[in-house]
């Protein structure tokens, strides 16, 4: 009987009830903080003009930058804008079919027996380059390429069998 009385007091006591409400409210607020990091209206308009078909859009802040992650035409994007709305850096994760022909031909020529597993397009103030993940029966290869097709091996790793 004493145990039931304790449970009733613990569950129904007004101070404990208020603490529970404050805890739940703070958890909800913390979960919504990334949504509060939305950029200003001018950047939002620029973004929607540049990427009208973007889906699953999520804005966050990274230091002095606004970062947007989204999907468009089956490619995943992550773009860093400065506070003035200038694109500073972007990553696009795509497939082999979205590579420029010069890059695709150069990689296929130099790495004939390897399969392209994934592509990351990197854009910054210096221009555009590509990082490709290749594989064969024994190893994984990370290859970089300029947009003009200059290909170089960055690293390789033996597969665990």
């Amino acid at each position: 009987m004493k145990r039931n009385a304790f449970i009733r007091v613990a569950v129904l006591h007004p101070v404990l009830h208020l603490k529970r409400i404050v805890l739940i409210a703070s958890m909800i607020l913390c979960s919504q903080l990334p949504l509060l990091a939305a950029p200003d209206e001018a950047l939002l308009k620029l973004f929607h003009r540049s990427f009208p078909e973007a889906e699953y859009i999520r804005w966050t802040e990274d230091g002095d930058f606004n970062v947007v992650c989204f999907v468009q035409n089956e490619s995943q994007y992550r773009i860093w804008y400065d506070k003035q709305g200038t694109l500073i850096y972007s990553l696009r994760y795509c497939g082999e079919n979205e590579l420029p022909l010069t890059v695709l031909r150069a990689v296929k020529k130099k790495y004939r027996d390897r399969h392209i597993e994934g592509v990351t397009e990197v854009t910054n103030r210096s221009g555009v380059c590509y990082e490709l993940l290749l594989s064969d029966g024994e190893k994984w290869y990370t290859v970089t390429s300029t947009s003009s097709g200059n290909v170089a091996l960055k690293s390789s790793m033996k597969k665990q069998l």
Side-chain angles (χ1 to χ4, degrees):
M1 201 63 153
K2 288 183 183 179
R3 186 167 188 247
N4 287 341
F6 174 75
I7 291 173
R8 224 175 325 173
V9 170
V11 171
L12 300 175
H13 193 274
V15 173
L16 294 176
H17 187 64
L18 181 62
K19 285 183 181 180
R20 191 174 308 128
I21 290 172
V22 170
L23 178 64
I24 291 170
S26 64
M27 287 174 32
I28 290 171
L29 180 63
C30 288
S31 70
Q32 299 300 314
L33 282 179
L35 299 177
L36 299 176
D40 65 4
E41 195 64 34
L43 180 55
L44 287 173
K45 285 181 182 177
L46 174 68
F47 171 77
H48 287 295
R49 272 197 317 267
S50 302
F51 302 98
E53 297 175 17
E55 299 177 301
Y56 311 109
I57 301 166
R58 191 184 84 213
W59 288 93
T60 57
E61 285 187 2
D62 180 12
D64 292 335
F65 303 100
N66 289 308
V67 182
V68 62
C69 302
F70 62 97
V71 175
Q72 180 171 291
N73 299 330
E74 298 181 22
S75 292
Q76 296 179 19
Y77 291 79
R78 179 170 285 167
I79 301 175
W80 283 258
Y81 293 97
D82 65 12
K83 295 299 179 185
Q84 290 73 39
T86 305
L87 188 147
I88 300 298
Y89 187 78
S90 76
L91 299 173
R92 179 172 72 114
Y93 306 100
C94 56
E96 151 182 6
N97 59 335
E98 296 182 74
L99 279 171
L101 188 56
T102 54
V103 174
L104 183 61
R105 290 184 68 204
V107 170
K108 292 287 189 177
K109 182 178 179 181
K110 190 167 183 174
Y111 299 99
R112 280 190 184 99
D113 302 330
R114 290 160 183 101
H115 180 262
I116 298 175
E117 300 289 339
V119 176
T120 304
E121 178 186 81
V122 180
T123 305
N124 57 28
R125 290 183 177 151
S126 301
V128 179
C129 65
Y130 298 88
E131 283 200 7
L132 295 91
L133 180 63
L134 310 177
S135 72
D136 61 18
E138 299 173 7
K139 290 185 176 181
W140 294 100
Y141 305 88
T142 303
V143 174
T144 60
S145 175
T146 62
S147 54
S148 61
N150 295 326
V151 179
L153 178 66
K154 186 175 179 182
S155 65
S156 66
M157 255 184 350
K158 199 171 190 176
K159 287 183 177 179
Q160 290 184 336
L161 301 173

